[in-house]
Amino acid sequence: MSHAPHDHAHDHCCHGAPAAVPPAPTDLPAGTQFSLLRIAAMDCPTEEALLRKTLTPMSGVLALDFDLMARTLRVAHELSDTKPLLDAVARVGMRAELLQPGTPAPALETGPSVPIAQRWRIAAAGLLAISSEAIAYISGNETSLPVALFALGAVALAGLPTLRKGWIALRSLALNIHLLMSLAVLGALALGQWPEAAMVIWLFAVAEMLEALSLDRARNAIRSLVSLAPAQALTLQADGQWAEQAVAQLNVGARLRVRPGEAIALDGRVVAGASSVNEASITGESLPVPKAVGDPVLAGTVNQQGLLEVDVTATQQNSLLARIAQSVQQAQGQRAPSQRFVDRFAAIYTPVVVVFALLLAVLPPLLLGQPFAEWVYRALVMLVIACPCALVISTPVTVVSGLAAAARRGMLIKGGLYLEQGRQIKTLALDKTGTLTEGKPRLTDLLPLGDVRGDDVLHLAASLDALSSHPVAAAIVGAQTERAPQQALADVADFEALPGRGVRGRIKGELLQLGNHRLLEELGLCTPAIEQQLQGLEAQGKTVMILSREQDVLGLLAVADTLRPHSREAIAQLQALGIRTVMLSGDNQRTVDAVAAQLGLDDARGQLLPDDKLQAIAGFSAQGVVAMVGDGVNDAPALARADIGIAMGAAGSATALETADVALMQDDLRKLPEFIALSRRTAAVLRQNLVLALGLKAVVFVLSLMGLATLWMAVFADAGASLLVVLNGLRLLRQGRTR
């Protein structure tokens, strides 16, 4: 993925470009170095903004790429030593660890985000804060010594981290929630609001803890992808014995033994045994897939009943499962359109509200003679709701949840942009061969016409076609093999290929011809009755081969590229969603029309060259967002020209996995309406989060102007809203189906 220089207008964003992918060389000077830092305390936009403010002005620092879900920062720089970077991070109260190349993705590490000791401190602070409030309520005195002692104890236990971060923010001139919350708590203490100060700092600490725990669920959604594959595998050793071995140490060519019920550790190919494998975790396919010698298997899938021996074809880092996890982790770092909007809004919203709060504290007392303490208190409430944390965190959490939910269903979406654009698709263009159809011609009709039985017609035709490499010939030979696998083909003498027409040869001394409509006419054997049958079959988009002797026709064999099992259902679902569906194909128009009629498509265009497909996509783009569905290789130009390029069957194509905007792991077109429905669901959750975040703040804002709001309400409006939008975004992970 190419990377443009960072846009500093979006400094409040929760994610930058993905940490795993450095900027393209064309964007940065030659000789640029990249250092990946793990910063355990970097959890939210507050820390990112503070780090960006500190690191961006440093000499030699060229670009910063943040990944808050993985807690990593990739720095593009021209420094000879990374110590200044580590020292700068330490100055803002965080500790950075330099990750060496090849280190496992930090997002896949385990461990609690909130230590047990911190949980106990917050629990004790809550007890003290509630006691302070209770004593003040019973005694009617909010400034008594017991009230003050309990309140200060709560602030010390729950609030010191916030106050320390607030001091660092003040020193760095960074306007963030920790500074605003620190000012509010210290202001409440200065005004003698001891119990309220204690409750506010405790509620804020609880909300931050719950938010951190909730964000872990989004991280776990990525982590769970890789955890599908076991860390140990039963491996054939040099002495011929089988022993458990760490998967990370295995190379291509290693032989694994997979017992029934076990997960397959690495991508490979079956060399012994037969079984069925549950591939739902990778492709979303609900039914087990039969596997025999020669069939590929994927890491993270589960062997069902038989014992399999598998030769490894990809190492742990290069398995399809690892690439999917890496793609999801990278994709969640890309800014979605709604996130860019929120970034711009937040950059304006926060300073405006802070300035308003300062004016609210000063002007009424000075100009109207109002009580100073009352208006300062209202200003403190305004300061608490000034931070846009809930707004900023809502989008990335929702996008990550949507991307992870899609990956679980066998849909790999390469970024929030495509996840959001999916709901805007107006036109969906589909290639025919290999997308709507199987891409493999099959024998569909066998019509004996003479005194020879149908099975004999097929046997004779297959014997002739066995010497041809044409796809139609392969379909006829394949049909014979399926029907009578034990029956040997007949010997053919005097075989001759007739270019553009068919083949001929002698079987048991009798001259036979197998060819198309043109050959039949050349032989003078095309009667009106046969002509009618030929036209009927060809009108259905089928290729017809005619088996004949010297004086009569023995039978007709029709071959066609059959529809995929779920193509018709998928097209109907797409049309029900209001999506215009169009077929683009290089096949002749008659065949295209026949397939379109079976699918219920109104717009089907045949005889298209690659440039024609490009022009068609360009025309659709003028009417709105257009998506193109193909195999990711043959349709590459059209996929690239479309707003969203969707590749089918990416589990079997590394190229499709790398190049497509959306990759469907299996050849199931029903994933297309599911993708669009998931996109619409994600958009709905994003709208809900914006309403939650802004609505709660707006209510407290109005109540504050009326003198009815308290700091408690402000904390609920800010920290509570942050928690609510995180939990709402995570709901996408719990959606079993999107339609």
Side-chain angles (χ1 to χ4, degrees), residues 363-586:
L363 294 183
L366 291 180
L367 300 181
L368 304 175
Q370 296 289 320
F372 183 75
E374 177 184 340
W375 287 94
V376 168
Y377 183 84
R378 295 187 189 184
L380 294 177
V381 174
M382 288 287 184
L383 285 179
V384 173
I385 66 172
C387 189
C389 273
L391 272 175
V392 176
I393 201 69
S394 64
T395 303
V397 170
T398 302
V399 168
V400 168
S401 298
L403 293 172
R408 288 178 178 179
R409 298 170 190 145
M411 298 177 288
L412 184 58
I413 304 173
K414 295 297 189 70
L417 169 63
Y418 309 114
L419 180 61
E420 287 197 34
Q421 269 193 328
R423 68 183 177 87
Q424 301 171 335
I425 293 175
K426 299 296 183 185
T427 304
L428 189 67
L430 303 103
D431 179 47
K432 180 181 75 69
T433 306
T435 301
L436 290 165
T437 66
E438 295 282 1
K440 299 175 182 177
R442 295 177 181 270
L443 182 69
T444 58
D445 299 87
L446 177 58
L447 305 176
L449 298 179
D451 56 359
V452 182
R453 294 184 307 114
D455 289 345
D456 292 333
V457 170
L458 178 59
H459 181 253
L460 293 171
S463 299
L464 287 169
D465 264 343
L467 302 175
S468 171
S469 60
H470 195 279
V472 172
I476 292 174
V477 174
Q480 168 64 22
T481 303
E482 288 179 10
R483 293 194 182 194
Q486 305 301 324
Q487 184 180 13
L489 296 177
D491 293 330
V492 179
D494 301 331
F495 176 82
E496 181 183 359
L498 306 173
R501 293 169 292 168
V503 296
R504 70 159 57 107
R506 292 186 181 274
I507 297 178
K508 295 182 180 180
E510 187 174 38
L511 181 63
L512 299 173
Q513 294 94 197
L514 180 66
N516 56 22
H517 195 164
R518 178 181 173 185
L519 177 62
L520 189 67
E521 290 179 341
E522 289 181 1
L523 296 172
L525 299 176
C526 190
T527 66
I530 293 177
E531 180 73 27
Q532 185 177 1
Q533 287 182 300
L534 289 174
Q535 289 180 357
L537 290 170
E538 290 173 349
Q540 298 173 38
K542 299 175 180 178
T543 300
V544 186
M545 303 300 289
I546 306 100
L547 180 68
S548 63
R549 286 187 293 219
E550 293 184 10
Q551 299 300 324
D552 59 344
V553 175
L554 301 180
L556 308 181
L557 300 95
V559 172
D561 187 2
T562 56
L563 293 178
R564 291 193 180 278
H566 306 297
S567 292
R568 189 179 292 104
E569 179 185 353
I571 294 298
Q573 291 173 353
L574 288 166
Q575 291 172 342
L577 290 171
I579 308 297
R580 178 191 179 193
T581 50
V582 181
M583 180 165 61
L584 304 179
S585 176

Side-chain angles (χ1 to χ4, degrees), residues 124 213-214 228 401 433 482 524 599 616 621 631 678 706 727:
L213 293 173
S214 298
L228 293 170
S401 298
T433 306
E482 288 179 10
L599 292 171
S621 295
D631 62 8
L678 176 63
M706 298 170 61
L727 294 175

Side-chain angles (χ1 to χ4, degrees), residues 642-667:
D643 296 300
I644 304 177
I646 303 174
M648 291 277 292
S653 170
T655 304
L657 186 68
E658 298 298 330
T659 59
D661 302 322
V662 177
L664 307 182
M665 292 295 104
Q666 63 181 115
D667 293 320

Side-chain angles (χ1 to χ4, degrees), residues 599-618:
L599 292 171
L601 287 170
D602 296 327
D603 192 347
R605 307 181 186 186
Q607 297 174 307
L608 298 180
L609 298 174
D611 285 346
D612 299 325
K613 290 186 178 182
L614 281 178
Q615 293 177 11
I617 295 294

